[in-house]
Amino acid sequence: MPHHGNEEEHGAEEPVRFTDKRKIDPETGEVRRDAGADGSGSPQGGEHDGITPLDEAHDSGDALAQAERILNDLPAEELDAPGEAPNLEAELRNDLLRLQAEYVNYRKRVERDREAVRELAVQSVLSGLLPVLDDLDAAKQHGDLSEGPFASIAKKLEGILENFGLERIADAGVAFDPKVHEALMQQPNAEIPADHVGQVLRPGYRKGERVIRAAQVIVSTGE
């Protein structure tokens, strides 16, 4: 086969090199970050060697630890750089902060609802025991609980109810309060001013600010 000139004079042709400046890696589909000077998309001497905080958090398996790690690893100067489009880290940080606030509010709401349910349960039990307390009061007035084992039982029961916050409303001579008193009648009383409780017919009870049962009273009209 004829030769046209000396091959050594022309030399071997060098391959044409292209610089891959694509921002999306065609093999992995991931966004290339911190591309080096050669445009290859691989970080040169990066602190995380191509591993993003999201990848590290994904391997931890703990949702709260993931959030803490991601938030701590994001530099503020990178997120708040002026003139740059919003990046993934900024959006992720905002999402995590919003999620954290929603979780805190959820926990507070659950604790509040749990306490409300517990309070209603205690009040229901106390309301069911009020007839028993009325019988104990009647027995005391007749002198049946002055001594003996039943008197000891009654005292223990009253002590337990007081520990649950149950308070008696049975004071005479105090100003009439429609919030805690139920007026059945009015009578003149020279010893008690007008519009004051002259006599308690049936004691009332309350727990904290909630009145479980109003006291039935006679209101004094004065002299």
Side-chain angles (χ1 to χ4, degrees), residues 65 74 133 156:
L74 298 181
L133 296 179
K156 290 180 180 179

Side-chain angles (χ1 to χ4, degrees), residues 191-203:
E191 298 179 357
I192 298 178
D195 297 328
H196 282 61
V197 177
Q199 182 180 353
V200 178
L201 301 179
R202 189 183 71 172

Side-chain angles (χ1 to χ4, degrees), residues 8 20 37 44 65 70 81 83-84 93 110 125 129 144 160 168 173 212 223:
E8 295 181 355
D20 188 357
Q44 297 182 0
I70 293 174
E84 295 185 0
R93 184 186 186 93
V110 169
V125 173
L129 292 175
D144 297 336
I160 293 173
R168 284 171 57 92
I212 300 177
E223 296 182 359

Side-chain angles (χ1 to χ4, degrees), residues 11-184:
E13 296 183 358
E14 296 183 358
V16 179
R17 297 182 179 179
F18 295 93
T19 301
D20 188 357
K21 298 182 178 180
R22 290 176 292 182
K23 298 182 178 181
I24 304 300
D25 194 321
E27 296 182 359
T28 63
E30 297 180 353
V31 179
R32 289 176 172 174
R33 300 167 48 82
D34 301 334
D38 59 352
S40 62
S42 300
Q44 297 182 0
E47 181 179 356
H48 298 283
D49 294 335
I51 301 178
T52 64
L54 185 60
D55 297 331
E56 297 177 357
H58 178 72
D59 296 335
S60 65
D62 186 353
L64 185 58
Q66 294 174 18
E68 293 290 343
R69 184 175 294 105
I70 293 174
L71 291 176
N72 293 333
D73 289 347
L74 298 181
E77 60 272 11
E78 179 181 349
L79 300 179
D80 302 331
E84 295 185 0
N87 50 47
L88 178 61
E89 289 82 356
E91 295 178 0
L92 183 58
R93 184 186 186 93
N94 294 333
D95 291 341
L96 290 174
L97 292 176
R98 182 170 55 254
L99 180 61
Q100 183 183 27
E102 292 176 357
Y103 177 68
V104 171
N105 293 334
Y106 168 76
R107 289 190 59 183
K108 291 181 179 179
R109 185 169 61 254
V110 169
E111 293 295 333
R112 184 169 58 250
D113 294 344
R114 184 181 302 170
E115 183 63 23
V117 171
R118 177 184 177 276
E119 186 68 17
L120 290 176
V122 172
Q123 292 179 6
S124 177
V125 173
L126 295 178
S127 298
L129 292 175
L130 294 186
V132 178
L133 296 179
D134 292 339
D135 293 340
L136 294 178
D137 288 338
K140 288 179 181 179
Q141 293 177 3
H142 289 83
D144 297 336
L145 292 179
S146 58
E147 58 183 9
F150 289 104
S152 177
I153 294 174
K155 185 176 181 180
K156 290 180 180 179
L157 178 60
E158 292 175 350
I160 293 173
L161 296 180
E162 289 180 358
N163 291 336
F164 277 98
L166 186 65
E167 300 178 11
R168 284 171 57 92
I169 306 174
D171 294 332
V174 299
F176 175 78
D177 186 355
K179 295 180 181 179
V180 297
H181 298 135
E182 179 184 357
L184 298 183

